[in-house]
Amino acid sequence: MLIAQISDPHVRPEGELYQGLVDSNRMFFEALQHLKGLDRRPDLLLLTGDLVDEGRPQEYAMVRRLLAGLDFPYLVIPGNHDRREQFREAFADHAYLPREGPQHFCHDEQPVRIVGLDSCVPGLHHGDIDPDGLTWLRRTFEQDTAKPTIVMLHHPPFMSGIPYMDKYRYLDPTPLESVLRSFTNIELILSGHVHRVMFKRWAGTMVCSCPSSTTEIALQMRSDAAPMSYIGPPACLLHWWDEAHGIVTHLSHIGTFAGPYPFA
């Protein structure tokens, strides 16, 4: 099974640029075209939040317009730049999403079970899941303790070392970690938010954050570092799962590069 992941496209209304500088809509379109052009068609696409920049209906209309060309299914969770009610309305035809409250879900129709968690706190930028959400998560895992499972949430549940992003991380991941450590069939936890690739061993499994299809947040670790970003190179992640060998994650750069050449 090939599972693609795109995160943080920050789509804008038609004709508007992200931060007044970046054509995030074009870059998201190019990311989707990149997936469609792979030599193996993805079985599923996971979008790990910040689909839009301001949570405006016009932005969600543009997201749906861009996604309409896909010929494989996709699952969505919100990020801190999404607005829960507008998000819910925009994806009202996605039956796996709850009709009220946080957008937690379980997609169990393929060889790998996907559990989506809504780690957003309305009106704020940091991440959290309330006790009711954690109870739902435990009960969901208990329904099948053997099937390979991927968890997706927007906020990485650890410190990145980038001070201006760590202010808005998942602030208290200990209760979530307690739930996850109770189960041994969690293959990966996938996140976005930091616009960078990061890996961390956590809660008995691996957390993997996806780069943005739009901008890369600068890797600065000084405590007084000012927020900065770069344009490109954009990338997505490809998670290849095989029953005999488990899961392997590949970084896939989006764009045109020299080659291919006849050597490996």
Side-chain angles (χ1 to χ4, degrees):
M1 181 177 183
L2 184 62
I3 302 169
Q5 182 186 2
I6 293 176
S7 201
D8 298 81
H10 289 271
V11 167
R12 303 289 285 132
E14 184 171 11
E16 295 188 26
L17 301 178
Y18 172 57
Q19 299 294 325
L21 295 169
V22 186
D23 191 348
S24 56
N25 297 357
R26 175 185 57 79
M27 296 178 80
F28 184 45
F29 172 78
E30 290 173 353
L32 297 174
Q33 293 299 112
H34 174 74
L35 296 182
K36 292 171 68 174
L38 293 173
D39 66 350
R40 174 174 171 176
R41 176 183 178 274
D43 299 289
L44 185 64
L45 168 61
L46 307 181
L47 293 160
T48 43
D50 282 0
L51 276 68
V52 305
D53 192 45
E54 296 180 350
R56 295 160 59 185
Q58 302 95 316
E59 293 175 322
Y60 286 113
M62 178 57 68
V63 165
R64 293 306 306 261
R65 180 172 150 190
L66 292 168
L67 287 167
L70 283 185
D71 58 355
F72 48 87
Y74 64 92
L75 304 174
V76 294
I77 55 169
N80 54 294
H81 282 261
D82 292 295
R83 293 184 185 176
R84 186 174 288 163
E85 294 309 315
Q86 287 86 342
F87 178 94
R88 191 194 326 275
E89 182 177 349
F91 294 100
D93 58 326
H94 284 230
Y96 60 89
L97 290 172
R99 295 295 175 248
E100 59 183 21
Q103 300 291 278
H104 309 315
F105 69 83
C106 178
H107 175 81
D108 199 6
E109 300 176 8
Q110 291 171 295
V112 177
R113 176 175 61 176
I114 309 295
V115 174
L117 297 176
D118 181 351
S119 60
C120 299
V121 181
L124 299 173
H125 286 289
H126 71 274
D128 185 52
I129 297 173
D130 64 21
D132 288 343
L134 295 176
T135 298
W136 174 89
L137 180 61
R138 183 178 293 277
R139 290 174 178 168
T140 298
F141 284 146
E142 288 172 345
Q143 293 173 10
D144 189 336
T145 60
K147 186 170 184 177
T149 298
I150 287 176
V151 175
M152 51 189 289
L153 76 166
H154 183 65
H155 300 81
F158 57 83
M159 295 279 286
S160 70
I162 303 173
Y164 44 85
M165 292 305 299
D166 285 337
K167 292 189 298 184
Y168 307 119
R169 70 187 188 280
Y170 194 117
L171 292 181
D172 182 14
T174 302
L176 175 59
E177 180 180 10
S178 178
V179 174
L180 295 172
R181 280 194 180 277
S182 302
F183 302 91
T184 60
N185 58 324
I186 302 171
E187 295 277 343
L188 275 178
I189 301 170
L190 304 179
S191 68
H193 189 52
V194 185
H195 293 214
R196 299 188 61 85
V197 175
M198 301 183 295
F199 298 93
K200 181 177 173 62
R201 185 77 179 168
W202 181 78
T205 186
M206 184 68 70
V207 185
C208 176
S209 73
C210 186
S212 169
S213 61
T214 299
T215 55
E216 181 180 62
I217 287 176
L219 179 58
Q220 300 183 101
M221 296 187 171
R222 300 188 326 271
S223 60
D224 62 344
M228 289 186 183
S229 292
Y230 293 92
I231 300 174
C236 61
L237 296 180
L238 301 173
H239 310 285
W240 176 69
W241 178 84
D242 178 82
E243 185 175 4
H245 303 288
I247 198 160
V248 175
T249 293
H250 295 268
L251 174 69
S252 187
H253 289 292
I254 299 162
T256 301
F257 307 96
Y261 300 109
F263 56 80

